[in-house]
Amino acid sequence: MVTGTAPSHVDYVVDGAPTVRAVEFLAEVLSNPLNAVLLLGGGFSVVAAAVVYLKYQPAAADVRALRGTLEEYHAFLPWMLRLAVGLPLVGAGFAGYFFSPSVAAPTRVFQVLLGFFLLFGLATRAVALVGLLAYLGGLVLRPELVIASEYVGGFLGVLLLGAGRPSADHLLQQVAEAEGSVYGRFDPLHPLVTKFNDVVGPYEQYAPTVIRLGVGFNFALLGFWEKLANPGMALAVVERYDLTSVVPVDPGMWVVGAGLTELAVGVLLFVGLFTRATAAVAFVVLTTTLFGLPDDPVLAHITLFGLSSALFVTGAGPLSLDERLAAVKEYSPLATATE
């Protein structure tokens, strides 16, 4: 049986909860016939909808139009990622926590500087690397930082894509390359930056992959570990905010349903199946949390909001089931990022 406490996002809004044995809790929830029907019916509906979509591809013209429009948004991806990572870093610095509200740390200036450099797009790839190393170092010392693991995908995405436009990096690069510019003659870093960009360029295509893996792992972790394996804290959240008045099911069903939903979203994103549709579901889940938990720290979720939005634009990218399915047959679901 799984017992004990775990690093958890819900620690932000409740101060501890009694330990609940996971296996006994799950058995009790499923012993209720209504709960069992709801869970099985919901799972069957999702699988049936996926099969019908793959076989018949309804609204194919709408999907093509949507995907074509999203292709035009790719130019804004670096900016989206910089906002998604930079804003919460600035907020974390001013709030006095290290990446996650569960880890207090006197790193205000460091995180604010990282955030502002990313927001301005100045030395973007170098700053992303520093941020990634800082997070990984913190994770070694404070394992509970694993609940903020989406930062890994965010930093890697920024590292691969660079600053994009608009950004200070792009502006300075254009000035440095202008014939006869004074700045170009005195900038010692421009040749090194150009060479590094040329080295990284072939790997930019993997930005959706690393983002997807980071977000997928985070959702799966929160769904399984925070709710299914350690339901006590989640039950306390349901009780505190009277969530059963929003969706009239018993508290146990609330926890199991939310846990399975987050776990499914995480797994689908991690393997890259129906990625755009799953990213849209992830965005809805995060929005529901935002309005359902009024004192939940919004800044702590901005990275997940931003990265989910980025995945909706990019789709799964390389090394995904969507890509494999597209290679097997002519396949253009909302989820795929190929073509």
Side-chain angles (χ1 to χ4, degrees):
M1 295 184 183
V2 180
T3 60
T5 59
S8 168
H9 278 180
V10 296
D11 284 336
Y12 310 160
V13 292
V14 293
D15 297 322
T19 298
V20 177
R21 295 181 179 275
V23 175
E24 294 176 4
F25 166 76
L26 186 60
E28 181 179 353
V29 171
L30 294 178
S31 66
N32 184 319
L34 177 59
N35 291 344
V37 169
L38 288 173
L39 288 173
L40 291 175
F44 177 79
S45 298
V46 171
V47 172
V51 171
V52 169
Y53 185 83
L54 287 172
K55 185 173 182 179
Y56 299 105
Q57 296 190 16
D62 304 70
V63 172
R64 284 194 298 271
L66 175 62
R67 294 181 61 229
T69 302
L70 290 174
E71 286 288 337
E72 300 174 5
Y73 291 179
H74 282 212
F76 302 106
L77 277 173
W79 191 22
M80 292 174 64
L81 296 183
R82 289 192 288 114
L83 291 174
V85 179
L87 284 173
L89 280 176
V90 173
F94 281 115
Y97 61 81
F98 190 70
F99 290 102
S100 167
S102 64
V103 179
T107 54
R108 174 172 178 167
V109 175
F110 173 70
Q111 289 185 111
V112 170
L113 284 176
L114 282 182
F116 273 118
F117 268 77
L118 288 176
L119 293 177
F120 287 125
L122 182 60
T124 306
R125 283 189 163 111
V127 171
L129 179 59
V130 171
L132 177 62
L133 294 176
Y135 171 79
L136 295 176
L139 181 63
V140 172
L141 299 175
R142 299 291 297 269
E144 60 267 37
L145 278 175
V146 70
I147 64 173
S149 55
E150 70 273 13
Y151 274 101
V152 175
F155 282 129
L156 287 175
V158 173
L159 189 60
L160 288 173
L161 293 180
R165 295 181 295 175
S167 69
D169 283 345
H170 178 261
L171 180 63
L172 293 175
Q173 182 181 14
Q174 295 300 110
V175 174
E177 292 177 351
E179 185 177 353
S181 69
V182 175
Y183 176 76
R185 291 198 298 268
F186 291 97
D187 178 15
L189 296 178
H190 175 64
L192 295 176
V193 171
T194 300
K195 184 175 181 180
F196 181 77
N197 290 342
D198 292 339
V199 172
V200 175
Y203 301 99
E204 289 183 2
Q205 62 175 316
Y206 294 103
T209 305
V210 297
I211 295 170
R212 175 169 54 78
L213 294 176
V215 177
F217 174 80
N218 190 264
F219 263 95
L221 174 70
L222 296 178
F224 174 75
W225 191 247
E226 180 181 271
K227 296 177 177 65
L228 299 179
N230 293 276
M233 193 75 74
L235 286 170
V237 172
V238 172
E239 180 180 359
R240 173 171 177 173
Y241 296 102
D242 192 23
L243 296 180
T244 56
S245 66
V246 180
V247 178
V249 296
D250 67 67
M253 181 60 188
W254 241 106
V255 172
V256 173
L260 289 176
T261 299
E262 291 182 359
L263 179 60
V265 166
V267 170
L268 289 175
L269 287 178
F270 197 86
V271 301
L273 181 61
F274 292 109
T275 304
R276 283 194 172 108
T278 307
V281 173
F283 195 91
V284 171
V285 170
L286 292 167
T287 304
T288 303
T289 301
L290 177 63
F291 288 99
L293 309 180
D295 55 357
D296 193 44
V298 177
L299 279 172
H301 297 311
I302 285 181
T303 304
L304 283 173
F305 271 107
L307 298 184
S308 297
S309 301
L311 287 175
F312 187 75
V313 172
T314 65
L319 307 178
S320 65
L321 290 182
D322 284 340
E323 184 184 55
R324 294 293 297 275
L325 287 172
V328 170
K329 62 179 181 179
E330 187 173 338
Y331 170 71
S332 59
L334 184 61
T336 190
T338 57
E339 297 179 15

mmCIF file of all heavy atoms in Angstrom, residues 249-291:
data_model
loop_
_atom_site.group_PDB
_atom_site.id
_atom_site.type_symbol
_atom_site.label_atom_id
_atom_site.label_comp_id
_atom_site.label_asym_id
_atom_site.label_seq_id
_atom_site.Cartn_x
_atom_site.Cartn_y
_atom_site.Cartn_z
ATOM 1 N N VAL A 249 -20.642 14.909 -7.224
ATOM 2 C CA VAL A 249 -20.231 13.524 -6.980
ATOM 3 C C VAL A 249 -19.588 13.495 -5.600
ATOM 4 O O VAL A 249 -19.246 14.541 -5.037
ATOM 5 C CB VAL A 249 -19.243 13.024 -8.057
ATOM 6 C CG1 VAL A 249 -19.907 12.975 -9.417
ATOM 7 C CG2 VAL A 249 -18.001 13.914 -8.099
ATOM 8 N N ASP A 250 -19.398 12.293 -5.055
ATOM 9 C CA ASP A 250 -18.811 12.231 -3.726
ATOM 10 C C ASP A 250 -17.338 12.624 -3.774
ATOM 11 O O ASP A 250 -16.700 12.562 -4.831
ATOM 12 C CB ASP A 250 -19.009 10.846 -3.102
ATOM 13 C CG ASP A 250 -18.221 9.764 -3.826
ATOM 14 O OD1 ASP A 250 -16.979 9.805 -3.774
ATOM 15 O OD2 ASP A 250 -18.864 8.868 -4.432
ATOM 16 N N PRO A 251 -16.745 13.050 -2.651
ATOM 17 C CA PRO A 251 -15.362 13.534 -2.646
ATOM 18 C C PRO A 251 -14.362 12.523 -3.200
ATOM 19 O O PRO A 251 -13.412 12.906 -3.900
ATOM 20 C CB PRO A 251 -15.100 13.825 -1.165
ATOM 21 C CG PRO A 251 -16.446 14.098 -0.587
ATOM 22 C CD PRO A 251 -17.387 13.207 -1.323
ATOM 23 N N GLY A 252 -14.547 11.258 -2.883
ATOM 24 C CA GLY A 252 -13.632 10.249 -3.399
ATOM 25 C C GLY A 252 -13.641 10.195 -4.913
ATOM 26 O O GLY A 252 -12.596 10.067 -5.559
ATOM 27 N N MET A 253 -14.835 10.285 -5.491
ATOM 28 C CA MET A 253 -14.950 10.277 -6.942
ATOM 29 C C MET A 253 -14.295 11.516 -7.550
ATOM 30 O O MET A 253 -13.669 11.451 -8.614
ATOM 31 C CB MET A 253 -16.432 10.222 -7.333
ATOM 32 C CG MET A 253 -16.684 10.194 -8.829
ATOM 33 S SD MET A 253 -15.916 8.749 -9.603
ATOM 34 C CE MET A 253 -16.179 9.131 -11.318
ATOM 35 N N TRP A 254 -14.399 12.632 -6.856
ATOM 36 C CA TRP A 254 -13.734 13.858 -7.299
ATOM 37 C C TRP A 254 -12.232 13.626 -7.421
ATOM 38 O O TRP A 254 -11.607 13.951 -8.429
ATOM 39 C CB TRP A 254 -13.997 14.987 -6.302
ATOM 40 C CG TRP A 254 -14.715 16.172 -6.863
ATOM 41 C CD1 TRP A 254 -16.022 16.520 -6.659
ATOM 42 C CD2 TRP A 254 -14.179 17.177 -7.719
ATOM 43 N NE1 TRP A 254 -16.329 17.669 -7.334
ATOM 44 C CE2 TRP A 254 -15.213 18.098 -7.997
ATOM 45 C CE3 TRP A 254 -12.918 17.379 -8.289
ATOM 46 C CZ2 TRP A 254 -15.024 19.215 -8.809
ATOM 47 C CZ3 TRP A 254 -12.731 18.493 -9.106
ATOM 48 C CH2 TRP A 254 -13.781 19.395 -9.349
ATOM 49 N N VAL A 255 -11.649 13.057 -6.379
ATOM 50 C CA VAL A 255 -10.207 12.860 -6.347
ATOM 51 C C VAL A 255 -9.770 11.851 -7.410
ATOM 52 O O VAL A 255 -8.815 12.085 -8.153
ATOM 53 C CB VAL A 255 -9.758 12.404 -4.953
ATOM 54 C CG1 VAL A 255 -8.281 12.008 -4.946
ATOM 55 C CG2 VAL A 255 -10.016 13.495 -3.925
ATOM 56 N N VAL A 256 -10.470 10.734 -7.491
ATOM 57 C CA VAL A 256 -10.102 9.705 -8.462
ATOM 58 C C VAL A 256 -10.291 10.223 -9.894
ATOM 59 O O VAL A 256 -9.428 10.017 -10.765
ATOM 60 C CB VAL A 256 -10.931 8.429 -8.241
ATOM 61 C CG1 VAL A 256 -10.678 7.423 -9.368
ATOM 62 C CG2 VAL A 256 -10.581 7.802 -6.902
ATOM 63 N N GLY A 257 -11.410 10.909 -10.141
ATOM 64 C CA GLY A 257 -11.649 11.442 -11.478
ATOM 65 C C GLY A 257 -10.605 12.457 -11.891
ATOM 66 O O GLY A 257 -10.074 12.405 -13.012
ATOM 67 N N ALA A 258 -10.268 13.375 -10.971
ATOM 68 C CA ALA A 258 -9.239 14.373 -11.277
ATOM 69 C C ALA A 258 -7.885 13.712 -11.473
ATOM 70 O O ALA A 258 -7.124 14.074 -12.388
ATOM 71 C CB ALA A 258 -9.174 15.406 -10.153
ATOM 72 N N GLY A 259 -7.563 12.728 -10.619
ATOM 73 C CA GLY A 259 -6.282 12.049 -10.733
ATOM 74 C C GLY A 259 -6.142 11.299 -12.040
ATOM 75 O O GLY A 259 -5.098 11.378 -12.711
ATOM 76 N N LEU A 260 -7.177 10.567 -12.428
ATOM 77 C CA LEU A 260 -7.118 9.816 -13.686
ATOM 78 C C LEU A 260 -7.064 10.741 -14.891
ATOM 79 O O LEU A 260 -6.378 10.446 -15.884
ATOM 80 C CB LEU A 260 -8.334 8.888 -13.786
ATOM 81 C CG LEU A 260 -8.339 7.687 -12.838
ATOM 82 C CD1 LEU A 260 -9.641 6.908 -12.986
ATOM 83 C CD2 LEU A 260 -7.145 6.773 -13.107
ATOM 84 N N THR A 261 -7.789 11.860 -14.819
ATOM 85 C CA THR A 261 -7.757 12.818 -15.922
ATOM 86 C C THR A 261 -6.355 13.382 -16.106
ATOM 87 O O THR A 261 -5.815 13.421 -17.223
ATOM 88 C CB THR A 261 -8.744 13.969 -15.667
ATOM 89 O OG1 THR A 261 -10.075 13.445 -15.579
ATOM 90 C CG2 THR A 261 -8.680 14.997 -16.795
ATOM 91 N N GLU A 262 -5.725 13.825 -15.000
ATOM 92 C CA GLU A 262 -4.377 14.377 -15.097
ATOM 93 C C GLU A 262 -3.374 13.309 -15.525
ATOM 94 O O GLU A 262 -2.457 13.594 -16.311
ATOM 95 C CB GLU A 262 -3.971 14.986 -13.761
ATOM 96 C CG GLU A 262 -4.756 16.240 -13.406
ATOM 97 C CD GLU A 262 -4.298 16.853 -12.095
ATOM 98 O OE1 GLU A 262 -3.387 16.285 -11.446
ATOM 99 O OE2 GLU A 262 -4.847 17.893 -11.707
ATOM 100 N N LEU A 263 -3.547 12.105 -15.026
ATOM 101 C CA LEU A 263 -2.653 11.020 -15.421
ATOM 102 C C LEU A 263 -2.783 10.721 -16.907
ATOM 103 O O LEU A 263 -1.778 10.550 -17.616
ATOM 104 C CB LEU A 263 -2.963 9.760 -14.599
ATOM 105 C CG LEU A 263 -2.129 8.518 -14.915
ATOM 106 C CD1 LEU A 263 -0.644 8.784 -14.676
ATOM 107 C CD2 LEU A 263 -2.606 7.333 -14.064
ATOM 108 N N ALA A 264 -4.012 10.669 -17.409
ATOM 109 C CA ALA A 264 -4.230 10.406 -18.833
ATOM 110 C C ALA A 264 -3.665 11.522 -19.697
ATOM 111 O O ALA A 264 -3.014 11.264 -20.724
ATOM 112 C CB ALA A 264 -5.731 10.228 -19.104
ATOM 113 N N VAL A 265 -3.901 12.768 -19.288
ATOM 114 C CA VAL A 265 -3.342 13.902 -20.029
ATOM 115 C C VAL A 265 -1.819 13.801 -20.067
ATOM 116 O O VAL A 265 -1.190 13.990 -21.116
ATOM 117 C CB VAL A 265 -3.785 15.232 -19.381
ATOM 118 C CG1 VAL A 265 -2.945 16.399 -19.915
ATOM 119 C CG2 VAL A 265 -5.258 15.493 -19.655
ATOM 120 N N GLY A 266 -1.218 13.486 -18.927
ATOM 121 C CA GLY A 266 0.232 13.383 -18.865
ATOM 122 C C GLY A 266 0.784 12.287 -19.756
ATOM 123 O O GLY A 266 1.759 12.494 -20.483
ATOM 124 N N VAL A 267 0.165 11.124 -19.715
ATOM 125 C CA VAL A 267 0.651 9.993 -20.515
ATOM 126 C C VAL A 267 0.502 10.294 -22.008
ATOM 127 O O VAL A 267 1.416 10.036 -22.807
ATOM 128 C CB VAL A 267 -0.100 8.706 -20.131
ATOM 129 C CG1 VAL A 267 0.223 7.581 -21.112
ATOM 130 C CG2 VAL A 267 0.254 8.274 -18.707
ATOM 131 N N LEU A 268 -0.646 10.836 -22.407
ATOM 132 C CA LEU A 268 -0.865 11.140 -23.822
ATOM 133 C C LEU A 268 0.119 12.189 -24.326
ATOM 134 O O LEU A 268 0.630 12.087 -25.451
ATOM 135 C CB LEU A 268 -2.305 11.610 -24.040
ATOM 136 C CG LEU A 268 -3.384 10.533 -23.903
ATOM 137 C CD1 LEU A 268 -4.773 11.150 -24.028
ATOM 138 C CD2 LEU A 268 -3.199 9.441 -24.957
ATOM 139 N N LEU A 269 0.388 13.205 -23.505
ATOM 140 C CA LEU A 269 1.374 14.204 -23.910
ATOM 141 C C LEU A 269 2.769 13.591 -23.978
ATOM 142 O O LEU A 269 3.541 13.877 -24.898
ATOM 143 C CB LEU A 269 1.373 15.384 -22.941
ATOM 144 C CG LEU A 269 0.176 16.329 -23.011
ATOM 145 C CD1 LEU A 269 0.294 17.414 -21.947
ATOM 146 C CD2 LEU A 269 0.038 16.960 -24.388
ATOM 147 N N PHE A 270 3.091 12.759 -23.009
ATOM 148 C CA PHE A 270 4.435 12.176 -22.953
ATOM 149 C C PHE A 270 4.716 11.320 -24.183
ATOM 150 O O PHE A 270 5.821 11.377 -24.742
ATOM 151 C CB PHE A 270 4.581 11.343 -21.680
ATOM 152 C CG PHE A 270 6.003 11.036 -21.327
ATOM 153 C CD1 PHE A 270 6.751 11.930 -20.579
ATOM 154 C CD2 PHE A 270 6.598 9.850 -21.732
ATOM 155 C CE1 PHE A 270 8.081 11.648 -20.252
ATOM 156 C CE2 PHE A 270 7.923 9.563 -21.414
ATOM 157 C CZ PHE A 270 8.665 10.469 -20.669
ATOM 158 N N VAL A 271 3.734 10.540 -24.614
ATOM 159 C CA VAL A 271 3.950 9.686 -25.788
ATOM 160 C C VAL A 271 3.611 10.400 -27.088
ATOM 161 O O VAL A 271 3.897 9.893 -28.169
ATOM 162 C CB VAL A 271 3.133 8.379 -25.675
ATOM 163 C CG1 VAL A 271 3.526 7.606 -24.438
ATOM 164 C CG2 VAL A 271 1.627 8.651 -25.693
ATOM 165 N N GLY A 272 2.988 11.582 -26.993
ATOM 166 C CA GLY A 272 2.677 12.345 -28.190
ATOM 167 C C GLY A 272 1.540 11.786 -28.992
ATOM 168 O O GLY A 272 1.640 11.618 -30.208
ATOM 169 N N LEU A 273 0.415 11.509 -28.342
ATOM 170 C CA LEU A 273 -0.767 10.989 -29.027
ATOM 171 C C LEU A 273 -1.909 11.982 -28.856
ATOM 172 O O LEU A 273 -2.240 12.358 -27.735
ATOM 173 C CB LEU A 273 -1.157 9.624 -28.456
ATOM 174 C CG LEU A 273 -2.369 8.944 -29.106
ATOM 175 C CD1 LEU A 273 -2.109 8.676 -30.589
ATOM 176 C CD2 LEU A 273 -2.704 7.640 -28.378
ATOM 177 N N PHE A 274 -2.498 12.410 -29.978
ATOM 178 C CA PHE A 274 -3.541 13.440 -29.960
ATOM 179 C C PHE A 274 -3.056 14.658 -29.172
ATOM 180 O O PHE A 274 -3.730 15.165 -28.281
ATOM 181 C CB PHE A 274 -4.847 12.897 -29.363
ATOM 182 C CG PHE A 274 -5.535 11.870 -30.202
ATOM 183 C CD1 PHE A 274 -5.569 10.547 -29.813
ATOM 184 C CD2 PHE A 274 -6.134 12.226 -31.397
ATOM 185 C CE1 PHE A 274 -6.191 9.597 -30.588
ATOM 186 C CE2 PHE A 274 -6.765 11.277 -32.184
ATOM 187 C CZ PHE A 274 -6.794 9.954 -31.780
ATOM 188 N N THR A 275 -1.892 15.111 -29.534
ATOM 189 C CA THR A 275 -1.199 16.096 -28.705
ATOM 190 C C THR A 275 -1.935 17.420 -28.632
ATOM 191 O O THR A 275 -2.066 18.012 -27.552
ATOM 192 C CB THR A 275 0.231 16.315 -29.237
ATOM 193 O OG1 THR A 275 0.895 15.058 -29.272
ATOM 194 C CG2 THR A 275 0.998 17.278 -28.359
ATOM 195 N N ARG A 276 -2.392 17.932 -29.759
ATOM 196 C CA ARG A 276 -3.081 19.224 -29.717
ATOM 197 C C ARG A 276 -4.389 19.126 -28.924
ATOM 198 O O ARG A 276 -4.698 20.007 -28.113
ATOM 199 C CB ARG A 276 -3.362 19.725 -31.130
ATOM 200 C CG ARG A 276 -2.145 20.311 -31.829
ATOM 201 C CD ARG A 276 -2.551 21.099 -33.063
ATOM 202 N NE ARG A 276 -1.416 21.818 -33.612
ATOM 203 C CZ ARG A 276 -0.796 21.507 -34.740
ATOM 204 N NH1 ARG A 276 -1.192 20.456 -35.433
ATOM 205 N NH2 ARG A 276 0.221 22.216 -35.164
ATOM 206 N N ALA A 277 -5.142 18.077 -29.147
ATOM 207 C CA ALA A 277 -6.385 17.915 -28.396
ATOM 208 C C ALA A 277 -6.102 17.754 -26.903
ATOM 209 O O ALA A 277 -6.795 18.318 -26.052
ATOM 210 C CB ALA A 277 -7.165 16.711 -28.915
ATOM 211 N N THR A 278 -5.058 16.983 -26.569
ATOM 212 C CA THR A 278 -4.709 16.770 -25.171
ATOM 213 C C THR A 278 -4.204 18.060 -24.533
ATOM 214 O O THR A 278 -4.497 18.351 -23.370
ATOM 215 C CB THR A 278 -3.640 15.675 -25.041
ATOM 216 O OG1 THR A 278 -4.085 14.499 -25.719
ATOM 217 C CG2 THR A 278 -3.370 15.344 -23.588
ATOM 218 N N ALA A 279 -3.437 18.848 -25.283
ATOM 219 C CA ALA A 279 -2.974 20.135 -24.766
ATOM 220 C C ALA A 279 -4.150 21.055 -24.470
ATOM 221 O O ALA A 279 -4.131 21.805 -23.487
ATOM 222 C CB ALA A 279 -2.025 20.792 -25.769
ATOM 223 N N ALA A 280 -5.181 20.990 -25.312
ATOM 224 C CA ALA A 280 -6.375 21.795 -25.061
ATOM 225 C C ALA A 280 -7.069 21.339 -23.782
ATOM 226 O O ALA A 280 -7.539 22.165 -22.976
ATOM 227 C CB ALA A 280 -7.336 21.700 -26.245
ATOM 228 N N VAL A 281 -7.134 20.028 -23.558
ATOM 229 C CA VAL A 281 -7.719 19.502 -22.319
ATOM 230 C C VAL A 281 -6.890 19.955 -21.117
ATOM 231 O O VAL A 281 -7.435 20.349 -20.078
ATOM 232 C CB VAL A 281 -7.804 17.966 -22.374
ATOM 233 C CG1 VAL A 281 -8.252 17.408 -21.019
ATOM 234 C CG2 VAL A 281 -8.776 17.525 -23.465
ATOM 235 N N ALA A 282 -5.558 19.909 -21.255
ATOM 236 C CA ALA A 282 -4.684 20.352 -20.164
ATOM 237 C C ALA A 282 -4.967 21.810 -19.820
ATOM 238 O O ALA A 282 -5.012 22.191 -18.642
ATOM 239 C CB ALA A 282 -3.219 20.172 -20.562
ATOM 240 N N PHE A 283 -5.163 22.638 -20.832
ATOM 241 C CA PHE A 283 -5.452 24.049 -20.599
ATOM 242 C C PHE A 283 -6.771 24.215 -19.852
ATOM 243 O O PHE A 283 -6.879 25.041 -18.935
ATOM 244 C CB PHE A 283 -5.504 24.797 -21.925
ATOM 245 C CG PHE A 283 -5.435 26.290 -21.793
ATOM 246 C CD1 PHE A 283 -4.213 26.934 -21.827
ATOM 247 C CD2 PHE A 283 -6.581 27.043 -21.637
ATOM 248 C CE1 PHE A 283 -4.134 28.320 -21.701
ATOM 249 C CE2 PHE A 283 -6.517 28.421 -21.509
ATOM 250 C CZ PHE A 283 -5.289 29.062 -21.540
ATOM 251 N N VAL A 284 -7.764 23.411 -20.215
ATOM 252 C CA VAL A 284 -9.068 23.472 -19.539
ATOM 253 C C VAL A 284 -8.928 23.036 -18.076
ATOM 254 O O VAL A 284 -9.507 23.645 -17.169
ATOM 255 C CB VAL A 284 -10.096 22.597 -20.273
ATOM 256 C CG1 VAL A 284 -11.380 22.468 -19.454
ATOM 257 C CG2 VAL A 284 -10.405 23.177 -21.653
ATOM 258 N N VAL A 285 -8.155 21.972 -17.838
ATOM 259 C CA VAL A 285 -7.933 21.500 -16.463
ATOM 260 C C VAL A 285 -7.291 22.592 -15.624
ATOM 261 O O VAL A 285 -7.693 22.854 -14.485
ATOM 262 C CB VAL A 285 -7.060 20.231 -16.469
ATOM 263 C CG1 VAL A 285 -6.614 19.884 -15.049
ATOM 264 C CG2 VAL A 285 -7.820 19.065 -17.079
ATOM 265 N N LEU A 286 -6.281 23.260 -16.177
ATOM 266 C CA LEU A 286 -5.603 24.326 -15.446
ATOM 267 C C LEU A 286 -6.538 25.497 -15.186
ATOM 268 O O LEU A 286 -6.510 26.110 -14.106
ATOM 269 C CB LEU A 286 -4.386 24.798 -16.236
ATOM 270 C CG LEU A 286 -3.242 23.791 -16.348
ATOM 271 C CD1 LEU A 286 -2.237 24.236 -17.404
ATOM 272 C CD2 LEU A 286 -2.553 23.614 -15.006
ATOM 273 N N THR A 287 -7.368 25.828 -16.168
ATOM 274 C CA THR A 287 -8.319 26.925 -15.992
ATOM 275 C C THR A 287 -9.344 26.586 -14.920
ATOM 276 O O THR A 287 -9.716 27.440 -14.099
ATOM 277 C CB THR A 287 -9.034 27.226 -17.322
ATOM 278 O OG1 THR A 287 -8.057 27.517 -18.332
ATOM 279 C CG2 THR A 287 -9.974 28.408 -17.171
ATOM 280 N N THR A 288 -9.804 25.335 -14.898
ATOM 281 C CA THR A 288 -10.743 24.898 -13.865
ATOM 282 C C THR A 288 -10.125 25.028 -12.477
ATOM 283 O O THR A 288 -10.772 25.476 -11.524
ATOM 284 C CB THR A 288 -11.163 23.439 -14.114
ATOM 285 O OG1 THR A 288 -11.729 23.325 -15.425
ATOM 286 C CG2 THR A 288 -12.188 22.992 -13.081
ATOM 287 N N THR A 289 -8.853 24.660 -12.369
ATOM 288 C CA THR A 289 -8.148 24.806 -11.096
ATOM 289 C C THR A 289 -8.064 26.261 -10.682
ATOM 290 O O THR A 289 -8.252 26.619 -9.508
ATOM 291 C CB THR A 289 -6.724 24.224 -11.204
ATOM 292 O OG1 THR A 289 -6.807 22.849 -11.566
ATOM 293 C CG2 THR A 289 -5.980 24.349 -9.887
ATOM 294 N N LEU A 290 -7.805 27.124 -11.646
ATOM 295 C CA LEU A 290 -7.666 28.542 -11.368
ATOM 296 C C LEU A 290 -8.939 29.119 -10.758
ATOM 297 O O LEU A 290 -8.894 29.878 -9.774
ATOM 298 C CB LEU A 290 -7.319 29.281 -12.665
ATOM 299 C CG LEU A 290 -7.200 30.800 -12.592
ATOM 300 C CD1 LEU A 290 -6.070 31.204 -11.670
ATOM 301 C CD2 LEU A 290 -6.989 31.380 -13.981
ATOM 302 N N PHE A 291 -10.098 28.752 -11.319
ATOM 303 C CA PHE A 291 -11.349 29.299 -10.815
ATOM 304 C C PHE A 291 -11.905 28.498 -9.642
ATOM 305 O O PHE A 291 -12.661 29.015 -8.827
ATOM 306 C CB PHE A 291 -12.390 29.356 -11.946
ATOM 307 C CG PHE A 291 -12.103 30.427 -12.960
ATOM 308 C CD1 PHE A 291 -11.491 30.123 -14.163
ATOM 309 C CD2 PHE A 291 -12.424 31.748 -12.707
ATOM 310 C CE1 PHE A 291 -11.211 31.105 -15.095
ATOM 311 C CE2 PHE A 291 -12.148 32.747 -13.626
ATOM 312 C CZ PHE A 291 -11.545 32.426 -14.823
#
